[in-house]
Amino acid sequence: MKSAPEYSAPRTLEEVLCQLEGATARSVLLAGGTDLMVEFETGRTRPDRVIDIHRVPELRGIEERSDGLWIGALSTCSDLLASDLVRRRAAILVAAADEVGAEQIKNRATIAGNLGTASPAADLVPVLFALDARVRLASRGGRREMAVSDFLCGYRENRRRTDELIEAVILPPEVVGERHAFRKVGTRRAQSIAKVVVALSLRLVEGRIHDLRAAAGSVAPTTVLLSTLARELEGVRPKPATLEAAARLAVRTDVAPIDDVRSSAAYRREVLYRVCRSMLVELVTDAV
Ligand SMILES: Cc1cc2nc3c(=O)[nH]c(=O)nc-3n(C[C@H](O)[C@H](O)[C@H](O)COP(=O)(O)OP(=O)(O)OC[C@H]3O[C@@H](n4cnc5c(N)ncnc54)[C@H](O)[C@@H]3O)c2cc1C
């Protein structure tokens, strides 16, 4: 007979951190449960311990701080949609949150859970890459931060230690003139897993592209930064042919899509190319 996992529901962050000191690689933090409940049901995850953090008040809240926009780990997609602060600072994060499942899922699905699962098809993750967001990790030993793009390190893998939890996601201070775009291609409006998902951020200074950050999901084992696209377009005056050529090169070099039940690798590459090209044109339309 399988033994049931140990379950606890601490009420403070300090209590969670104490409990995490005894955690193993099989222990899980339960936030909204939208991924985990499915994984428990299918047997993909068989935890020795479940630490339910859903009632920990310190992990909630969205506020502007000196180092950026602090988004508490338990912020749900519905919280992001309802936040004027997020809408003003990062409308593409709101757009991505709006693509996550139906209302019931949006009400439970948290930003930390999206990073915890580290699915290559996660909708919030490409946006966090494009915005150069940081993840803040807490343990009894202290706090540390790293770029979200460094935190995710493989197929459904991240760099969280077993004694740590995600406390918040932090969006860097606003950069004047930054332009953003987000697009998800799926089979239908609600509840669809992305075939391709893309987020872009760039600045246009005196008619030239600068600081492009582009990220794509569902085209590799993990969300990827399109670094070739960024390199090819840095300092460039955008012309349709230049944007097309950079997007073509990026889909050849930066991604590694697979054939699966949802799409073929060739289809994903072609869609990614078209989506990147049209998003770029839209973002710099006043300079093309
Ligand atoms: C019907 C359905 C539709 C969906 N549609 C979409 C979609 O369109 N787009 C999309 O991106 N996702 C979708 N998902 C997946 C899911 O809703 C998201 O990944 C969600 O953000 C997970 O958050 P959660 O709070 O429910 O995570 P949970 O299930 O509670 O946890 C997920 C993982 O994150 C870890 N974790 C949670 N909180 C923390 C923390 N604070 N620190 C460290 N680790 C933590 C957990 O231990 C676990 O490994 C869907 C899921 C379902 C069931």
Side-chain angles (χ1 to χ4, degrees):
M1 206 174 72
K2 280 181 278 172
S3 59
E6 210 179 289
Y7 173 85
S8 62
R11 296 297 179 122
T12 66
L13 181 56
E14 187 54 27
E15 262 182 76
V16 178
L17 299 184
C18 284
Q19 294 191 9
L20 279 171
E21 284 195 311
T24 71
R26 285 184 56 216
S27 308
V28 294
L29 292 153
L30 181 75
T34 58
D35 279 323
L36 278 179
M37 297 312 271
V38 176
E39 290 181 20
F40 294 162
E41 194 60 32
T42 58
R44 179 178 197 157
T45 297
R46 295 183 196 280
D48 58 358
R49 181 189 294 204
V50 175
I51 304 175
D52 183 347
I53 56 174
H54 201 246
R55 291 177 199 80
V56 176
E58 296 99 313
L59 298 176
R60 297 196 178 274
I62 299 174
E63 61 185 38
E64 198 67 68
R65 297 191 178 181
S66 57
D67 57 346
L69 185 66
W70 175 281
I71 303 176
L74 287 177
S75 301
T76 62
C77 290
S78 298
D79 292 334
L80 297 175
L81 280 159
S83 166
D84 288 337
L85 261 182
V86 179
R87 200 170 285 277
R88 210 165 48 240
R89 281 279 261 101
I92 52 169
L93 189 54
V94 176
D98 203 18
E99 291 287 348
V100 174
E103 295 307 306
Q104 297 89 331
I105 296 293
K106 288 186 178 64
N107 289 339
R108 299 285 305 185
T110 64
I111 194 163
N114 215 240
L115 292 175
T117 298
S119 160
D123 286 327
L124 304 185
V125 176
V127 171
L128 298 177
F129 274 39
L131 296 176
D132 205 10
R134 299 190 307 281
V135 62
R136 183 174 160 99
L137 298 157
S139 71
R140 279 209 93 196
R143 304 294 199 266
R144 64 182 180 129
E145 283 183 17
M146 68 178 85
V148 170
S149 52
D150 291 332
F151 180 63
L152 301 184
C153 53
Y155 179 67
R156 298 172 79 90
E157 278 178 25
N158 64 49
R159 296 192 198 280
R160 182 183 76 86
R161 296 194 314 254
T162 56
D163 66 337
E164 288 177 316
L165 94 166
I166 299 169
E167 187 178 13
V169 170
I170 303 168
L171 303 187
E174 226 169 340
V175 177
V176 179
E178 231 174 47
R179 302 170 177 212
H180 303 142
F182 170 81
R183 186 101 27 100
K184 173 177 178 174
V185 180
T187 28
R188 59 199 164 96
R189 180 76 181 82
Q191 311 266 22
S192 80
I193 300 176
K195 287 170 183 283
V196 169
V197 54
V198 184
L200 283 179
S201 164
L202 59 79
R203 286 188 313 127
L204 206 55
V205 183
E206 292 170 1
R208 291 178 189 275
I209 293 176
H210 289 285
D211 305 329
L212 172 71
R213 280 181 72 86
S218 284
V219 289
T222 184
T223 302
V224 283
L225 272 176
L226 305 178
S227 46
T228 304
L229 193 65
R231 199 182 52 242
E232 289 295 306
L233 293 178
E234 178 59 32
V236 161
R237 242 180 232 294
K239 295 278 170 271
T242 322
L243 301 178
E244 269 175 43
R248 271 280 176 228
L249 190 61
V251 303
R252 276 205 302 272
T253 40
D254 292 340
V255 301
I258 52 164
D259 292 319
D260 69 10
V261 288
R262 290 195 295 280
S263 289
S264 67
Y267 173 83
R268 287 180 206 271
R269 266 190 220 276
E270 186 58 26
V271 171
L272 178 63
Y273 159 67
R274 286 169 188 244
V275 167
C276 280
R277 186 191 55 186
S278 75
M279 287 169 79
L280 283 165
V281 170
E282 276 164 36
L283 274 185
V284 300
T285 185
D286 46 329
V288 175

